[in-house]
Amino acid sequence: MLAILALALMPGGQGPDWFAHADKVRHAAAFLLLWAIGKQARFEPAWCLAVALLAFGIGIECFQALTPTRESSWGDVLADVVGIALGHLVVRTA
């Protein structure tokens, strides 16, 4: 979580991204990974893990709003939710 927080608060890149909405894919992937780690660590019940990760995602956006080089976005929070949901599906079927 600390690594993801650090990456989220670092100054953004100056050049164009790989493709449109690549940042949303990175958000979803990060939160899918956090879900998988949480489940591997036996964080139960699942709804508590989901709420904790959602709170973490919202917290990241709040911190980004306080930085001069980053922007907060509800779209990023939505991408976090997608990552949590995908993580639930992937881990549940694995």
Side-chain angles (χ1 to χ4, degrees):
M1 289 179 90
L2 289 175
I4 290 172
L5 179 62
L7 288 170
L9 296 179
M10 288 174 48
Q14 302 302 324
D17 219 332
W18 300 339
F19 54 89
H21 306 295
D23 64 320
K24 305 303 184 249
V25 173
R26 285 191 296 272
H27 273 266
F31 278 78
L32 187 155
L33 178 64
L34 287 174
W35 178 271
I37 291 169
K39 293 306 286 184
Q40 184 68 28
R42 306 254 189 253
F43 193 115
E44 296 289 340
W47 70 267
C48 284
L49 177 57
V51 169
L53 290 177
L54 179 59
F56 179 62
I58 292 170
I60 286 173
E61 297 307 313
C62 291
F63 285 127
Q64 284 182 340
L66 300 174
T67 66
T69 59
R70 298 294 243 171
E71 295 178 1
S72 62
S73 164
W74 285 108
D76 290 347
V77 174
L78 180 60
D80 299 343
V81 170
V82 168
I84 293 167
L86 288 173
H88 176 68
L89 290 173
V90 168
V91 171
R92 186 176 69 171
T93 59

